[in-house]
């Protein structure tokens, strides 16, 4: 995680078995194309399925971490996928959103949270 410090980013918990993650994924691609840094955590999943998913549906993640047993998710207090953590430039979690992100939610609420991360 030390390598990720310096710029704020989103830490997105996702899995191929998660229907809401599939629904959210195109919007994450849009955010990534707009310059939002997103780190993925592939949560309790099969790595080969996840790699095929990212090839088929595009990859919004600067880095995609693999959490096959949910250990990182447990440390973060993840209750399910998708969840997104807003991490500041010092690597500190400043905000957590449980559920899929779409354009309306981003514009109305979450964009301001991201832009106010230092």
């Amino acid at each position: 995680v030390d390598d990720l410090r310096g710029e704020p980013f989103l830490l997105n918990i996702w899995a191929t078995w998660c229907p809401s993650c599939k629904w959210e994924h195109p919007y994450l691609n849009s955010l990534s194309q707009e310059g939002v840094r997103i780190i993925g955590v592939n949560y309790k999943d099969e790595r080969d399925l996840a790699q095929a998913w990212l090839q088929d549906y595009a990859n919004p993640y600067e880095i995609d971490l693999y959490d096959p047993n949910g250990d990182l998710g447990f440390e973060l207090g993840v209750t399910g996928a998708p969840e997104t953590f807003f991490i500041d430039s010092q690597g500190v979690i400043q905000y957590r959103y449980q559920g899929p992100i779409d354009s309306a939610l981003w514009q109305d609420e979450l964009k301001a949270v991201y832009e106010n991360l230092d």
Side-chain angles (χ1 to χ4, degrees), residues 10-13 23-24 78-86 93-102 105-106 109-110 113:
L10 304 180
L11 185 70
N12 179 253
I13 311 300
W23 183 85
E24 172 187 63
V78 169
T79 59
E83 283 190 33
T84 303
F85 296 86
F86 290 63
I93 297 170
Q94 295 295 332
Y95 189 82
R96 171 187 187 178
Y97 183 77
Q98 295 172 284
I101 294 172
D102 63 13
L105 177 66
W106 182 260
E109 181 180 340
L110 300 179
V113 174

Side-chain angles (χ1 to χ4, degrees), residues 16 22 25-26 29 49-60:
T16 60
K22 188 171 186 177
H25 196 81
N29 282 317
L49 294 176
Q51 289 173 332
W53 163 299
L54 294 175
Q55 201 162 23
D56 292 345
Y57 301 113
N59 184 352

Side-chain angles (χ1 to χ4, degrees), residues 63-79:
I63 299 168
D64 186 46
L65 306 171
Y66 184 43
D67 189 18
N69 300 316
D71 297 333
L72 176 58
F74 179 79
E75 292 294 322
L76 292 169
V78 169
T79 59

